[in-house]
Amino acid sequence: MPDASHHAPRSLDVAIVGGGLAGLYAIHRLRGLGLTVRAYEAGSGIGGTWFWNRYPGARCDVESLEYSYSFSDALQQEWQWPERYGTQPEILKYINHVADRFDLRRDVQLNTRIVSAVFDTRANRWVLRTRDGEEIRARYCVMAAGNLSTPRVPDFKGLNDFKGRWYHSGLWPHEGVDFSGQRVGVIGTGSSGVQMIPLIAEQAKHLHVFQRTANFSLPARNGPMDAERERRHKAEYRQRRIAAADTPFAIAGHARPTRSALEVAEEERNQAYEAKWQEGGSISYLYSYTDLLVNKESNDTASEFVRNKIRATVKDPRTAELLAPKDHPIGTKRLCLDTNYYETYNRDNVTLVDVRSDPIDTITATGLRTKGGQTFELDAIVFATGFDAMTGALNEIDVRTTDGPGGKSAVLRDHWEGGPLTYLGLMVSGFPNMFIVTGPGSPGVKTQMIASIEQHVDWIANCIDHLQSKGLDRIEATPQAEQAWVEHVNAVADSTLYPLANSWYVGANIPGKPRVFMPYVGGYDRYKRHSEAIAANGYEGFTLGTHERAEAAD
Ligand code: N01
């Protein structure tokens, strides 16, 4: 890819941070308004999450016919997904196809990490700076930097002394890793760990899995795409997308439950769970009854069904009990989907190590040691330890405003010191003309992510279009609206069982991170109606204006 930086326009209508699914759609959509746009991507290729997460078994846990762009019917008709759930290489191929088909590449600058974004209040311009010192000035800034894009390796002592190789799931080498004949340790049993463990076990001489918290996982029942199913889905694609937009997860095809789990006799309930278990997929399981995510007693029935499946699958009773989650209700941490995860623990070359009761203390030159003094000899260590979720990517950029008329200077890291504050997940008070895609306060991570990306980007595009049509050039969330939204996000979360889990939704995986519930769990459908009504009602909770007027007030 030629370095385009010296040809880049330094002055843009919209600067976009990130060249993943969100950044690419933002280019397409904003270009359609006649705006000059450019996306800045740290990676050497486009695709964001699907560019970086190349670990064995990486695939989406939402079915591909759903997890794809809906903005072009021609695109969704012509693209063929080979399997029910897309693998990382397939999804990356799709993203590259979209970039070519819609001629997006000419507005993506690769190998370019944005290190600061400063709003020049007087000039009414965002000034972005790259790590290489390039400066970009733009009227608007769209942060499409991802919400699970800042990989975190725990702060273990001794990692520098380790003589073997170590990897993080989200920074996987492009050439792949051959674990044949090696003694491998995987730390972490979230979605990434659960996907990679069965495949690494097939290669490694021995695999130790270091588990701090057992996670619920359901069988994905992946397989080749059923041609008839694909044909039917494509024939109804438009209607299905419309139907999806009217659901909490933005996924169509699952009948809304009508009864509480407690209204049903145990035998009938277990039959229902069994049918969902056989069908595969997490939405379907959590949709068995109306109240699985709001009523602990109901949830217990669904949790216990899966615990019993684990007990029936894993032969060693001690390992089975360790794998059976007991500290959080099913679905309150991201529910994993797997292929042969629990079965893998029946292999002779796989050992589960409980690092809840005996935490990892030190990485040594030849492996690791726990606080209780257990030592493990390892040739390779894989950190499937997750991300500084939701806020990590933005907090890595020095986002601030200059002092200026009509506005005090502000620093995003300071503003978010006690936890992220946004209005609708889209804007932050004190930071005019900066939009965020699927950030904190957005339903994004709790939905079919591409649907939320498209919804947010459409909202942003309509907003910029509205400003232009009214001769305005500045929009900012009011502190009151931001405060009310954050309270609403937390109130909605508190009406569910989600806060019972120590998850990345509350920043629990990062020591010292403020415990605030970050995603909006009120549902995609509710969010879409609400955010669109706000726009239709003249952008309630936002201040719209022109910077000349602000100057005049100086
Ligand atoms: O990360 P995680 P992930 N010592 O944060 C453990 C999406 N995703 O990369 O739970 C020992 O979920 C940690 O333990 P605990 C999806 O939204 C989707 O797996 O904090 N262990 C946990 O087990 C997902 O939710 C897909 O006690 C330590 C694990 O590391 C999100 O990305 C695939 C530790 C981290 O789990 C993140 O998933 C992959 C320590 N010091 C990811 N620190 C699909 O679509 C952390 N852990 C399928």
Side-chain angles (χ1 to χ4, degrees):
M1 192 81 198
D3 174 12
S5 62
H6 51 284
H7 301 302
R10 299 277 172 123
S11 190
L12 299 167
D13 290 323
V14 189
I16 300 163
V17 181
L21 286 158
L24 293 172
Y25 180 56
I27 296 175
H28 176 71
R29 187 66 173 75
L30 295 168
R31 226 196 232 167
L33 294 177
L35 300 170
T36 55
V37 298
R38 194 161 179 81
Y40 296 87
E41 167 55 52
S44 61
I46 57 168
T49 285
W50 300 107
F51 175 83
W52 297 103
N53 288 268
R54 296 168 185 250
Y55 59 84
R59 73 168 76 236
C60 190
D61 56 5
V62 175
E63 293 187 48
S64 294
L65 286 164
E66 299 280 342
Y67 186 85
S68 45
Y69 286 120
S70 69
F71 69 84
S72 159
D73 194 45
L75 171 68
Q76 64 187 9
Q77 292 298 336
E78 75 200 12
W79 186 261
Q80 286 194 299
W81 294 102
E83 291 177 85
R84 182 175 176 189
Y85 299 91
T87 58
Q88 175 271 331
E90 267 305 323
I91 299 171
L92 191 58
K93 193 168 139 194
Y94 167 76
I95 296 171
N96 276 282
H97 167 78
V98 173
D100 290 331
R101 193 185 193 291
F102 297 94
D103 188 23
L104 305 179
R105 283 184 207 278
R106 64 185 158 90
D107 285 326
V108 185
Q109 189 168 316
L110 299 174
N111 301 306
T112 306
R113 188 171 283 280
I114 299 297
V115 292
S116 72
V118 179
F119 185 67
D120 179 337
T121 310
R122 280 169 198 280
N124 204 43
R125 287 289 179 276
W126 277 96
V127 182
L128 278 65
R129 202 168 283 279
T130 72
R131 188 158 57 189
D132 298 334
E134 187 190 349
E135 190 178 291
I136 302 116
R137 298 174 71 80
R139 293 164 54 217
Y140 298 96
C141 175
V142 173
M143 293 295 188
N147 36 46
L148 291 158
S149 51
T150 313
R152 278 290 176 256
V153 173
D155 199 10
F156 293 128
K157 287 177 284 183
L159 186 55
N160 289 338
D161 302 331
F162 183 56
K163 295 216 165 59
R165 301 286 302 270
W166 65 267
Y167 310 91
H168 187 284
S169 59
L171 292 170
W172 205 259
H174 284 202
E175 63 279 14
V177 181
D178 183 1
F179 291 109
S180 301
Q182 296 193 17
R183 298 161 303 174
V184 183
V186 171
I187 303 175
T189 51
S191 302
S192 304
V194 162
Q195 286 188 326
M196 69 172 72
I197 285 164
L199 293 171
I200 296 180
E202 282 175 13
Q203 261 192 359
K205 182 169 165 214
H206 198 94
L207 171 63
H208 280 97
V209 177
F210 298 92
Q211 174 187 275
R212 185 164 71 181
T213 308
N215 244 320
F216 286 101
S217 187
L218 303 178
R221 309 267 178 231
N222 186 40
M225 180 62 73
D226 179 273
E228 177 52 22
R229 190 163 171 205
E230 181 182 8
R231 194 197 57 72
R232 268 188 282 120
H233 199 109
K234 287 187 170 176
E236 302 166 353
Y237 232 141
R238 277 177 200 272
Q239 298 93 300
R240 290 187 74 104
R241 297 291 194 188
I242 292 167
D246 207 22
T247 69
F249 300 109
I251 295 177
H254 301 287
R256 249 178 222 268
T258 52
R259 288 186 298 174
S260 156
L262 303 179
E263 283 176 55
V264 180
E266 187 179 350
E267 198 184 330
E268 184 188 341
R269 203 166 50 213
N270 283 338
Q271 276 170 5
Y273 291 144
E274 180 66 34
K276 306 279 186 164
W277 177 269
Q278 293 307 332
E279 179 187 333
S282 55
I283 304 294
S284 151
Y285 192 78
L286 293 175
Y287 242 32
S288 299
Y289 296 103
T290 52
D291 53 353
L292 294 184
L293 291 172
V294 293
N295 181 329
K296 175 76 169 54
E297 216 186 315
S298 296
N299 185 291
D300 285 344
T301 65
S303 295
E304 190 58 14
F305 179 86
V306 175
R307 282 193 285 265
N308 285 334
K309 284 286 184 191
I310 299 168
R311 291 173 184 127
T313 307
V314 179
K315 294 196 178 115
D316 173 47
R318 189 182 156 274
T319 305
E321 273 322 301
L322 277 177
L323 286 168
K326 304 192 185 69
D327 67 348
H328 66 280
I330 191 166
T332 57
K333 282 186 137 190
R334 173 68 172 233
L335 189 48
C336 303
L337 283 196
D338 73 90
T339 302
N340 294 332
Y341 178 63
Y342 294 115
E343 292 81 350
T344 295
Y345 293 92
N346 293 331
R347 296 175 66 104
D348 292 337
N349 70 333
V350 177
T351 309
L352 182 67
V353 182
D354 174 18
V355 293
R356 162 69 50 92
S357 62
D358 185 10
I360 296 168
D361 181 49
T362 314
I363 309 290
T364 64
T366 57
L368 65 79
R369 191 169 58 237
T370 65
K371 288 203 162 67
Q374 297 183 76
T375 56
F376 298 89
E377 297 293 306
L378 303 169
D379 303 307
I381 299 177
V382 179
F383 292 96
T385 45
F387 302 84
D388 184 354
M390 313 290 293
T391 52
L394 274 188
N395 278 338
E396 282 205 336
I397 302 170
D398 182 12
V399 181
R400 59 178 71 221
T401 67
T402 63
D403 233 336
K408 295 197 304 285
S409 67
V411 178
L412 188 67
R413 283 175 198 148
D414 295 345
H415 189 63
W416 283 6
E417 206 183 354
L421 306 171
T422 69
Y423 180 34
L424 299 175
L426 288 167
M427 292 198 89
V428 184
S429 74
F431 296 83
N433 297 357
M434 180 183 85
F435 299 96
I436 306 175
V437 185
T438 65
S442 146
V445 295
K446 294 303 304 163
T447 68
Q448 193 276 86
M449 184 70 89
I450 303 179
S452 285
I453 285 171
E454 290 183 319
Q455 194 273 341
H456 292 8
V457 170
D458 287 345
W459 192 99
I460 293 164
N462 291 335
C463 176
I464 295 176
D465 198 30
H466 173 82
L467 291 171
Q468 303 209 128
S469 70
K470 299 273 180 220
L472 306 174
D473 61 7
R474 189 180 284 193
I475 180 165
E476 187 180 340
T478 68
Q480 296 78 4
E482 180 179 83
Q483 187 60 32
W485 181 250
V486 172
E487 281 168 16
H488 176 62
V489 168
N490 278 276
V492 173
D494 286 341
S495 69
T496 70
L497 302 176
Y498 283 106
L500 296 182
N502 284 321
S503 62
W504 57 258
Y505 299 148
V506 291
N509 62 325
I510 304 291
K513 193 163 169 171
R515 193 182 175 100
V516 176
F517 202 89
M518 294 185 282
Y520 175 67
V521 292
Y524 172 91
D525 45 353
R526 196 165 148 197
Y527 174 88
K528 181 172 162 31
R529 279 195 301 272
H530 182 66
S531 60
E532 289 171 6
I534 281 175
N537 291 334
Y539 293 89
E540 290 166 332
F542 293 95
T543 308
L544 279 62
T546 64
H547 96 282
E548 282 81 11
R549 246 177 261 158
E551 287 278 351
D554 191 17

